[in-house]
Structure formats: structure tokens, C-alpha cells
Amino acid sequence: MNAAPHRVLVVDDEEALRFVLRQLLEREGCVVDEAVDGAEAVERARHQPYDLYLLDMKMPRMDGMGALASIRQLYPEALAVMITAFSSQRQAIEALKAGAYDYFSKPFNIDELRIVVLRALEKQQLLRRLNQLSLAAPERHGIIGAGPAMAQVFSLVERVAAHDVTVLVSGESGTGKELVARAIHKASPRRDGPFVTVNCAAIPENLLESELFGHERGAFTGATCMRPGRFEAAGGGTILLDEIGEMPLALQAKLLRVLQEHRIERVGSNESRPVDLRILAATNRDLGEMVREKTFREDLYFRINVVPIHLPPLRRRLEDLPLLVNYFIGEFNARFGKRIEGLTPTAMARLEAHGWPGNVRELENTLQRAMVMATGQLIDEAALPPGLGQGRQPGGAEPSELAEAGADLARLLEEQLAGGALDEFSVPLAQRLDQVAGAIERRIIEAALERTAGRRQDTADLLGISRKSLHNKMCKYAMFGRDEE
């Protein structure tokens, strides 16, 4: 049981039964009070809410059903287990309809009752946790998060919103980059203007220029009329250029002119037009690395990266996982007409152990599936996708990643042997082995850095080592060119 013990009220007019139930509950660490009838139970509940009520159906003054109705008026989420010596299917249905958690007939199996009581108390604990989370008001600017990583993001949003500067929002897919861009727009002086989103990766290269800048009639085959572009549509408001790293180099030059001069030219026109808008950009790629590879313009990079905001992946802010779970359960309850109240502890542990490569978007899809598959009021392991949160230690690499690293290691060892790494017998064996192992380790670190776009903490997580250990190894192999986040 928890450090704070559960409080249970046993209500029965038979003293012997109250004694048996008290003994059972106190062995489980509960604090137990007793009442001889429903009227006394309601009076006790007025002064002290209980985590669970064990109610006899037939009692003097007020029966169990009357007591349950009165208690649930005081506490709508009160949990009760009904007990009666007069078993009937009709009574069971009535009790469950009235909100009882379960129903037992005398004489009952003490072990079965114990299991039901423990499950009811576990459910009450989860309900209490969800209520505490909802009172914590974790949502700011339409974004769920209360940990230090998201607090820094919120602080940046609030500081840059009032100033008409360009912001680059970076982060892995599914981390909520568009939500941050919308939050900046809603908190800015342009909040009453339009918010226009353009996914640069979703529009074919030959159509992206026309989509952004618009076109004149006859500018190209199929251009039967003049059409304004997204820049004009965002006039007076904000435009988000999502996945800007996928924008062709030729179009990057035209975008640079928009940022510098606040003017555009429609395709097929020589006339420039002024535009009044704020430009935000988002990417899941390392634009700094793309600049070094000459696949992204350096001057454009500096113009859009006036204020950078980096969104951490979900695996780096697991303290927000219960808040997100609570939020999505509420959303899907409203959508599906369900009354799911949370997850079992084992199901929650599975979520916490998962690496979440798809981040918050993957969590949302996972919970949507679980809500559909759940058969009770709590989501259990059976409702989760097979294999979720299994085969991975927190902070370590996925099994597939380890397999790939092992294959890379074998290939590199073959290369070292083929290249004569062990041919010089004048070199001591230990030194030769260190040279081969060092070359292999360096290659694995380089591959991990490439996979994480050079982000140090994510690289350390992928390799299952600390960030300090990663730094020491990079210094050892003179990998200073990968030092930036």
C-alpha cells in the first residue's frame, strides 16, 4: 500500500462481519472505520470522505442502496462494494447502475473479496492522481507540459511573441512545432490576423513557388486565372513555413528577398507587391549541418534563425507523460462517448518504458487505439499495442538500433583486418587491438551523431551512455566539428 494509507468504511449491522472485514483490510494497510447502518455511514461520510465503502444491502434505518445514493451526492466518484445475503440478478444490476464498483453475495470467498477491494483502491488512487493533475493546470498556450524543458519553451514563446521577429522552431517530428508557432501568433499583436501554414515537404517542388507567391493568368499551363499565394493570404497575420529544410535552393533565394524587403512577385509578373506578415519557420532537420553541406543557404539560415526554439522529444520530458495521458483520455472520452478513468500501473509503466520515436503524436495515436480496445474503465496492458515499452531500458537504444550497430561493427572490423591493421607485429598486441576498437567506437559515435542530427543528449541516450562520457569520447577522437547541439 502507499505511504498514505487508504481509508475504508465498513457498513453492516452484523458485528461479526464487520470484524472479519476490518481484519482483512487492516492486513492490507488500510485505516478502517465502521458504521452499523446507512444513516450512520452517510453521517460519517459528511465529515470524512473515504476511498472505499463496503455496504450491506439490507440494514435498519437506511439500506445500502440509499446510503450509496446519498454518499455519491456528496462525492460523485465514491467507490462502493455492495454485500448482501439475498442474492438476485436484479439486485446486482440495480447496484451497478447506482454506481457500485462490484457486488458480492453472502457467504463470499474472502480471497475473491480481497482482490476486488485492492482493485477498487487502485482505481481510487488513479482517480485521485488524475484529479491532482487536472488541478495543476498544465496547459499553457494550448500546449501540455509542466516540466523544466517545456517551461523554457513557454518562456521563449512569451518573450518573442510581442516582437515581430523571425523564429525557427526545431524538433523531431511529432513534438508539436506547429502548436508552438500558433502559440506565438495568438500571443502576438497579429493575433486577429490569419495564421497560414505551408508544409514545404508536402507540396511538389514545381508547385511550391506558385503556392507561396501566387501566379498571374497564363503564367504556366493550367493557370487560367490570377491566384494570390499564401504570402498574400497571410497579410496582417503570420505564416508558418513548416519543414523549411525541404525548400529548393532556388526558392530559398526568393524567400530571402521576402524577409529582407517584405515584397513578393507573383509567378509570371514583374511587379513586386508589399506584404505585411510575420514569418515563422519549423524543421525537424539540422539546418546548420545542411548549410555546411551546401544544401541550405547560409544567409537564409541566419535570417530565419533570429530566435531559435528547440522542442525536446517526449523521451526527454517523461515528467509530462501523465499530464499528456490525462489530456488525451479526456479528449477521447468526449469523442467516443466513453468513461475511461486512467491506466493500470502496469500499463503506465509500459508507456514510461517506451522510447516514443514518434513523440507526442505517437502517444496520441497509441492512446486512441487503447481507448477503442479497452473493455473496462481502466486501460490495461492488453489494450496497448503489442511490444510497446518492452525490450528497451530507459535511456538505451532500441533492439533494432543495437542490431544495426553490431552489423556496422562487424563490417568495420572486416575493413580494419583487410587494411592490414594487424599486420605490423612490431606493435604490441594490446595496442593493435586498442587501435581497432577505437576505430570501431569512433565509427559508431559518428553514426549515432548522424542519426540524431548532432544533438548531444539524444546521441548519448541512443548509445546508452551519459552525456559526459560522450563528450570525453568525442574529445578523445578529436570530433570537435560535431560539438554544437
Side-chain angles (χ1 to χ4, degrees):
M1 304 300 287
N2 288 345
H6 290 290
R7 300 189 67 90
V8 182
L9 181 63
V10 176
V11 188
D12 198 293
D13 57 345
E14 294 183 26
E15 184 178 358
L17 183 59
R18 295 200 307 271
F19 175 79
V20 170
L21 293 176
R22 173 186 281 275
Q23 293 290 100
L24 166 67
L25 293 164
E26 288 182 342
R27 281 199 298 269
E28 299 299 331
C30 298
V31 174
V32 183
D33 290 332
E34 299 179 18
V36 298
D37 57 32
E40 184 182 352
V42 174
E43 187 61 28
R44 280 184 170 273
R46 290 184 194 279
H47 298 92
Q48 168 68 62
Y50 292 87
D51 297 305
L52 182 64
Y53 300 83
L54 296 183
L55 297 169
D56 189 21
M57 291 283 283
K58 297 293 183 180
M59 294 180 292
R61 291 207 298 168
M62 181 185 290
D63 63 13
M65 293 291 286
L68 177 60
S70 298
I71 290 170
R72 286 183 70 85
Q73 282 184 346
L74 296 171
Y75 312 107
E77 294 182 348
L79 293 183
V81 173
M82 311 302 290
I83 301 173
T84 182
F86 306 97
S87 175
S88 75
Q89 186 176 9
R90 183 181 61 81
Q91 279 187 326
I93 293 173
E94 287 179 356
L96 295 175
K97 282 184 177 180
Y101 178 77
D102 212 331
Y103 177 97
F104 273 87
S105 299
K106 302 176 185 177
F108 49 78
N109 183 298
I110 197 71
D111 290 329
E112 291 180 0
L113 179 62
R114 174 181 173 274
I115 291 172
V116 169
V117 165
L118 292 179
R119 286 178 178 171
L121 292 174
E122 181 182 86
K123 176 181 176 180
Q124 187 61 267
Q125 182 179 350
L126 288 169
L127 286 173
R128 186 184 301 159
R129 186 180 182 190
L130 288 175
N131 287 334
Q132 290 171 346
L133 292 174
S134 63
L135 292 174
E139 181 176 323
R140 289 172 64 183
H141 306 293
I143 304 169
I144 305 297
M150 291 308 296
Q152 184 177 5
V153 171
F154 295 143
S155 176
L156 284 171
V157 167
E158 290 159 4
R159 278 186 282 170
V160 305
H163 305 286
D164 222 5
V165 297
T166 308
V167 178
L168 176 63
V169 186
S170 62
E172 297 177 10
S173 295
T175 50
K177 296 185 290 294
E178 184 176 337
L179 287 177
V180 169
R182 286 185 181 275
I184 293 172
H185 170 71
K186 289 180 180 179
S188 76
R190 296 179 177 272
R191 65 180 67 89
D192 296 327
F195 179 83
V196 177
T197 301
V198 180
N199 189 328
C200 300
I203 303 173
E205 182 176 336
N206 61 330
L207 297 179
L208 184 56
E209 181 179 5
S210 171
E211 190 70 23
L212 287 173
F213 292 88
H215 60 257
E216 297 290 345
R217 179 181 178 183
F220 49 83
T221 302
T224 57
C225 61
M226 184 278 293
R227 182 174 179 272
R230 300 287 187 92
F231 283 129
E232 291 180 76
T238 305
I239 188 168
L240 170 64
L241 301 177
D242 198 9
E243 305 299 348
I244 195 171
E246 309 304 322
M247 182 177 287
L249 280 168
L251 198 52
Q252 291 178 26
K254 295 196 69 173
L255 174 60
L256 184 63
R257 182 181 178 190
V258 177
L259 286 164
Q260 291 173 337
E261 302 177 8
H262 297 283
R263 302 185 71 87
I264 64 164
E265 289 183 11
R266 293 176 184 159
V267 178
S269 172
N270 294 322
E271 178 186 353
S272 67
R273 302 169 180 274
V275 287
D276 173 29
L277 78 167
R278 181 179 191 172
I279 297 179
L280 306 177
T283 183
N284 63 0
R285 302 186 64 180
D286 184 348
L287 295 187
E289 183 66 23
M290 293 182 68
V291 168
R292 288 188 287 272
E293 295 173 351
K294 309 297 183 184
T295 56
F296 197 87
R297 291 181 63 105
E298 184 177 32
D299 47 5
L300 177 60
Y301 175 62
F302 291 130
R303 287 304 298 253
I304 64 174
N305 197 34
V306 176
V307 179
I309 297 179
H310 180 72
L311 287 180
L314 182 55
R315 63 183 175 275
R316 293 272 302 279
R317 58 179 189 109
L318 288 178
E319 67 274 9
D320 290 335
L321 186 61
L323 305 178
L324 290 162
V325 168
N326 184 33
Y327 172 78
F328 285 128
I329 286 177
E331 289 285 301
F332 294 132
N333 272 335
R335 185 185 305 179
F336 301 144
K338 288 203 165 191
R339 297 183 64 183
I340 300 295
E341 296 170 347
L343 285 79
T344 64
T346 51
M348 192 66 191
R350 288 271 298 276
L351 296 189
E352 291 171 345
H354 188 54
W356 300 112
N359 293 294
V360 179
R361 187 180 298 126
E362 182 187 0
L363 174 64
E364 179 181 6
N365 294 335
T366 298
L367 289 174
Q368 183 174 9
R369 176 195 188 276
M371 294 280 287
V372 172
M373 301 299 293
T375 56
Q377 291 181 306
L378 295 177
I379 295 172
D380 58 16
E381 288 184 277
L384 298 176
L388 186 85
Q390 295 179 345
R392 178 183 186 269
Q393 295 297 322
E398 297 286 352
S400 59
E401 293 167 347
L402 296 174
E404 291 175 17
D408 290 342
L409 186 152
R411 285 194 298 270
L412 182 56
L413 182 57
E414 291 177 2
E415 292 173 9
Q416 294 288 322
L417 293 172
L422 301 183
D423 289 346
E424 295 294 332
F425 286 96
S426 59
V427 180
L429 176 62
Q431 185 177 340
R432 295 200 301 272
L433 293 176
D434 284 345
Q435 290 172 353
V436 175
I440 292 170
E441 186 174 51
R442 179 189 176 99
R443 179 74 65 87
I444 291 174
I445 293 173
E446 287 176 342
L449 284 165
E450 183 176 352
R451 183 173 300 178
T452 61
R455 293 186 292 274
R456 288 286 192 90
Q457 186 60 58
D458 289 349
T459 303
D461 291 344
L462 179 63
L463 295 173
I465 60 178
S466 69
R467 180 173 175 140
K468 183 176 180 180
S469 295
L470 175 64
H471 173 76
N472 292 339
K473 291 178 184 296
M474 292 177 68
C475 290
K476 175 182 176 181
Y477 300 122
M479 301 171 70
F480 300 110
R482 310 301 291 267
D483 192 43
E484 60 280 324
E485 280 279 302

